[in-house]
């Protein structure tokens, strides 16, 4: 089944400055390759401009287009892959860490009947274009799941939930934004603390997933990892599946 989202929803552009810069550098290289004289004499060096600029142009524009494919299509497919790692009963208490504009939060809420989904975020507009609690709330309403969701402004490393509060914890492209390792470790310890025995954490990111997996293993969780699609997740995303023994 193709990945879905409700009409009118807007799940934003991840790291918008990165995508913009990839396009800008690519276009600058393309123009340089096409418009500069074919050979530039820089002192003793003769620079062949076409290969020197057109290959990087292809590289940067290609990366920008892959990024766009993720934003417009791949993120919904990746969400569905992540959520397929749990056998949903409908009564789960779910936490989405760094929910952004509600991609995973709305996705999990649609799996719930009597359960509830909580999304936490610090609403960074560097990490997600147009990031705001109100934008997420609008998406939840358009998806018809607002009654099953709560949004909380809270950093991952400072979670205030009681121990063993959640059956399922999800997070996509959030934890790498915590730049220093001790604070990241704090966030990972919080995940272990608020996860119920028998619960599962599904943590996806483009880097540091080995670090997350090691932390969860050392905390006694059973861990496996799985790559997302290399074509439709850019940068390639890996999912850490960490199950807390019952
Ligand atoms: C790239 S966006 C991804 C959003 C969403 N998970 C998705 O896949 O569409 C990363 C999100 O993590 C949030 N974030 C960054 N650092 C955080 C932290 N320490 N605690 C909670 N959220 C954080 C940002 O505000 C942003 O909404």
């Amino acid at each position: 089944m193709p990945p879905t989202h409700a009409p009118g929803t807007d799940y934003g552009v991840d790291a918008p400055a990165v995508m913009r810069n990839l396009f800008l550098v690519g276009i600058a290289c393309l123009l340089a390759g096409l418009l500069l004289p074919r050979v530039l004499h820089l002192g003793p060096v003769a620079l062949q401009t076409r290969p020197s600029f057109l290959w990087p142009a292809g590289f940067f524009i290609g990366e920008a287009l892959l990024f766009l494919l993720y934003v417009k299509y791949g993120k919904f497919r990746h969400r569905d892959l992540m959520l397929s790692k749990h056998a949903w009963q409908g009564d789960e208490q779910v936490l989405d860490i760094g929910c952004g504009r509600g991609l995973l939060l709305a996705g999990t809420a649609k799996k719930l009947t009597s359960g509830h989904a909580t999304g936490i975020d610090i609403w960074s507009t560097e990490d997600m274009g147009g990031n705001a609690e109100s934008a997420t709330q609008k998406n939840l309403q358009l998806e018809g799941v607002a009654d099953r969701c709560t949004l909380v402004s809270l950093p991952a490393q400072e979670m205030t939930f009681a121990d063993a509060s959640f059956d399922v914890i999800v997070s996509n492209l959030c934890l790498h934004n915590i730049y220093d390792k001790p604070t990241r470790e704090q966030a990972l310890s919080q995940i272990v603390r608020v996860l119920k025995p028998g619960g599962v954490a599904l943590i996806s990111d483009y880097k540091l997933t080995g670090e997350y997996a090691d932390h969860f293993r050392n905390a006694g969780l059973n861990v496996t990892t799985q790559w997302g699609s290399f074509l439709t997740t850019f940068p390639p995303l890996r999912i850490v599946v960490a199950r807390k023994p019952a």
Side-chain angles (χ1 to χ4, degrees):
M1 208 166 54
T4 53
H5 52 100
T9 50
D10 181 354
Y11 288 101
V13 177
D14 310 71
V18 174
M19 191 197 286
R20 183 201 60 209
N21 292 343
L22 285 171
F23 270 121
L24 285 180
V25 174
I27 288 165
C29 289
L30 185 65
L31 291 176
L34 295 178
L35 300 180
L36 286 174
R38 283 183 175 225
V39 182
L40 276 184
H41 295 279
L42 305 168
V45 178
L47 181 72
Q48 301 288 331
T49 52
R50 290 256 155 121
S52 299
F53 286 107
L54 293 185
W55 281 110
F59 175 78
F60 288 114
I61 292 174
E63 291 220 318
L65 290 173
L66 281 174
F67 206 155
L68 193 60
L69 180 67
Y70 171 73
V71 164
K72 294 290 172 203
Y73 171 78
K75 63 163 67 176
F76 302 102
R77 216 177 141 196
H78 189 66
R79 170 202 63 192
D80 293 349
L81 175 66
M82 285 182 72
L83 300 189
S84 73
K85 300 288 144 202
H86 174 65
W88 294 91
Q89 304 298 309
D91 61 352
E92 290 89 345
Q93 294 297 315
V94 181
L95 175 66
D96 181 0
I97 298 172
C99 62
R101 298 179 64 160
L103 174 73
L104 286 163
L105 189 64
T108 57
K110 285 185 177 180
K111 309 268 184 200
L112 302 177
T113 48
S114 57
H116 194 84
T118 301
I120 65 168
D121 207 295
I122 57 168
W123 317 112
S124 155
T125 48
E126 260 176 51
D127 302 337
M128 168 62 72
N131 212 1
E133 190 171 340
S134 56
T136 310
Q137 196 63 48
K138 186 175 169 203
N139 281 340
L140 297 175
Q141 270 155 9
L142 287 166
E143 295 283 10
V145 295
D147 58 330
R148 271 165 269 162
C149 297
T150 305
L151 296 174
V152 185
S153 298
L154 189 65
Q157 60 273 24
E158 291 169 21
M159 279 192 242
T160 47
F161 305 110
D163 294 359
S165 293
F166 298 101
D167 303 285
V168 180
I169 298 179
V170 295
S171 183
N172 185 40
L173 281 168
C174 170
L175 296 180
H176 73 272
N177 293 304
I178 304 173
Y179 298 122
D180 70 300
K181 190 169 175 181
T183 313
R184 253 190 340 265
E185 295 277 342
Q186 214 175 305
L188 294 167
S189 298
Q190 291 294 318
I191 292 173
V192 175
R193 182 183 70 75
V194 300
L195 186 62
K196 287 185 189 176
V200 64
L202 306 168
I203 311 296
S204 158
D205 219 326
Y206 82 99
K207 63 177 182 179
L208 300 171
T209 47
E211 180 186 299
Y212 311 159
D214 286 346
H215 184 102
F216 292 141
R217 272 192 202 103
N218 292 337
L221 277 62
N222 299 317
V223 179
T224 57
T225 59
Q226 184 186 335
W227 284 102
S229 158
F230 286 107
L231 181 64
T232 59
T233 66
F234 181 87
L237 296 176
R238 195 155 77 130
I239 307 165
V240 177
V241 181
R243 297 182 194 279
K244 196 174 195 178

